[in-house]
Amino acid sequence: MLGKLVKYDFKAVAKIMVPIYLVLIVLSAVFALLLRMRLDNGIIFTLLSTALSTTMIGSGIGTLFCIASRFNKGLLKNEGYLSFALPVRTSTHILAKLINAVIWSVTEGAALFVSIFLIVVIASSSAELVQMFRELMDFFGLIDKDIILGILNALSIMVTELIASICLIYAGYAVAHLFDRHKTLIMAGFILTVIVLRSTIVSEVLYNNYLDFLDNQFLWYLQSLIPAALYLVLTWYILDRRLNLE
Amino acid sequence: METMLCEGLSKKYGRKTALNRINLKLEEGRIIGLVGPNGSGKTTLIKLASRLLVPTEGTIKICGEEPSENTKALVSYLPDRSFLPDWMNCEELMEMYGDFFTDFDRERALGMLDNLHIDLGMPIKKMSKGTVDKVQLILTMSRHARLYLLDEPIAGVDPASRDYILNTIISNYDEQATVLISTHLISDVESVLDEVIFLKEGEIYLHRNSDELREETGKSIDEYFREVFRC
């Protein structure tokens, strides 16, 4: 059932985000072509630059909005009547939303990477590309196993932090669901309070007591994954035991 | 075996009691009307049976099991509002129902959608409210469920559509299944009801065979309801 839930959530987001990513890539390619042809002044170039930067920012905001909306609309609004009538556990619903959120966050990152890559490749001349390639090869030649491991570690920490942030948004929606009014305010208040509490605990408990905190990979994971687990348990409890759809 | 059994079932929202220690047994093969004024606990009872709510006290069992993902596979639930994802069309919705409900009968759904000339490719958000209501009912009644929970299926629908909806219900439920219909519009549905339950302030005022109630009171169920719940 998990795979089926992810499939339908994925489709729901794809209907909105795929066209935005396509626009982003097309705008990037046209922008790079204008740069290459030295047509980088004039009203068209200015308009295109604005459109491109707006689409870049908009795609990020759009992805975040879709992730939050799939949880809120799919489970806590009218669609929740269908979701919770499906023969699926509450925990499976939450896990499906989380998997979908991670997939689309990574896709957003990939779309931005492709956009920048296109601008660099199309806008540069052949000689510049060859030079860039040589410099990159020289740079990679300097990279040893430790640096690669460090990059992989940083990436995995970013992913765990991303998961913790998504879980916090879910918990915020779940807590706000317990109230009849001022839901947005309650959600924002809850998220801000948790962020402040978490930062305080991390700095006071971990940073002050474990001098090697910054170098300790395990503690980095722990300070993301323990809060994420707490947010998930809270979300599950509210959705499974205190659900009351309007 | 009873399709639904409630024993001492209560549900409170904070200090407000929506259902107060009700005992109820619904047998299979019956169409049962659940009637009562606003706030009498009809929707709460249906939500408890669908496990959209958890009881405060007492138990509710569907085919012998407490509500869970197992019983959701046996219950076909029609809420009192639009609940379908508005970005989907009928084709996608039928695929989704088929994916999640093993008892979904695609041919039955297609037949009913075809009778109403509903465009399978049109997204829900582009349909009129009446058409959405019909699509929801068709999907709900296209399952071979053990218990159909229909919350206000004819509220807000024009009289011609009410007949279609009632005919759809009568002609599509399996003989061993139970249909529980919550409604205010008693006169429209009373001809199809085998039993009727009056809910009053969270308690069961009566649960009787429809024909017996009409014989005893010398009134239609609608008339008797108006007498009992007169303001």
Side-chain angles (χ1 to χ4, degrees), chain A residues 56-73:
Chain A
M56 277 184 170
I57 297 165
S59 71
I61 294 171
T63 305
L64 183 64
F65 173 80
C66 282
I67 288 169
S69 167
R70 280 318 304 155
F71 183 85
N72 187 36
K73 212 174 153 188

Side-chain angles (χ1 to χ4, degrees), chain B residues 71-115:
Chain B
T71 62
K72 285 176 184 180
L74 308 172
V75 172
S76 194
Y77 169 46
L78 179 72
D80 59 348
R81 64 198 63 219
S82 298
F83 65 96
L84 298 174
D86 61 4
W87 57 273
M88 282 185 156
N89 59 37
C90 291
E91 193 61 64
E92 290 167 325
L93 284 165
M94 283 191 292
E95 187 194 329
M96 184 185 184
Y97 267 66
D99 269 352
F100 286 102
F101 298 111
T102 52
D103 59 5
F104 181 69
D105 187 337
R106 184 183 158 85
E107 293 308 312
R108 184 191 278 184
L110 271 174
M112 287 191 268
L113 290 166
D114 189 45
N115 282 343

Side-chain angles (χ1 to χ4, degrees), chain A residues 1 4-5 7-8 11-12 15 78-79 81-82 84-89 240 243-246, chain B residues 13 47 51-54 69 72 77 79 81-83 85-88 92 95-97 99-101:
Chain A
M1 289 293 180
K4 291 172 185 172
L5 288 175
K7 179 177 95 173
Y8 287 101
K11 280 185 178 178
K15 289 222 174 195
N78 283 356
E79 265 183 51
Y81 283 88
L82 175 60
F84 285 107
L86 301 175
V88 175
R89 288 170 190 267
D240 198 71
L243 184 76
N244 183 17
L245 296 173
E246 287 163 11
Chain B
Y13 301 107
K47 282 184 173 179
R51 215 211 173 271
L52 261 78
L53 289 174
V54 178
E69 63 275 13
K72 285 176 184 180
Y77 169 46
R81 64 198 63 219
S82 298
F83 65 96
D86 61 4
W87 57 273
M88 282 185 156
E92 290 167 325
E95 187 194 329
M96 184 185 184
Y97 267 66
D99 269 352
F100 286 102
F101 298 111

